[in-house]
Amino acid sequence: QVQLEESGGGSVQSGGSLRLSCAASGFALTRNCLDWFRQAPGKEREAVGSIGSNGRTKYADSVNGRFTISLNNAENTLYLLMDNLKPEDTAMYYCSAAYRIGSSCSPDKFWGRGTQVSVSS
């Protein structure tokens, strides 16, 4: 059974930092498709960033330069380091994982339950 569990959310002031974790069980994160998403109240879920099997990361323009995704293979845990947080970063943050199939990702994603991030001005 695949389980993804996010943690590390909380309330911070604008300019602060948080590090989110996504611990996986039943699924080896390495060399698969890994993403972070977020959803603010009343808004659609949006992609925050991803990390590829080669370790390359991609980020949404809104977080590029402030957020960093990393993977600890030994711990089978995905991280999202968020610096210089802004009130507009307030959202529920989710990690997702999917099996890599060749150069593509399976359309069937596994999701965690999310962790809340609240940034006050």
Side-chain angles (χ1 to χ4, degrees), residues 38-46 87-92 94:
R38 67 186 181 184
Q39 187 167 19
K43 295 188 177 180
E44 293 186 355
R45 184 177 58 199
E46 64 173 349
E88 51 264 42
D89 295 319
T90 295
M92 185 71 80
Y94 301 89

Side-chain angles (χ1 to χ4, degrees), residues 4-66:
L4 302 176
E5 184 173 0
E6 301 93 340
S7 62
S11 298
V12 296
Q13 290 189 329
S14 182
S17 299
L18 284 173
R19 189 180 76 159
L20 306 184
S21 301
C22 173
S25 59
F27 185 99
L29 295 180
T30 186
R31 291 190 292 276
N32 282 306
C33 303
L34 309 174
D35 300 86
W36 283 98
F37 288 84
R38 67 186 181 184
Q39 187 167 19
K43 295 188 177 180
E44 293 186 355
R45 184 177 58 199
E46 64 173 349
V48 172
S50 62
I51 184 167
S53 58
N54 56 7
R56 289 185 179 177
T57 52
K58 295 181 181 179
Y59 301 95
D61 289 344
S62 58
V63 306
N64 196 26
R66 300 188 296 120

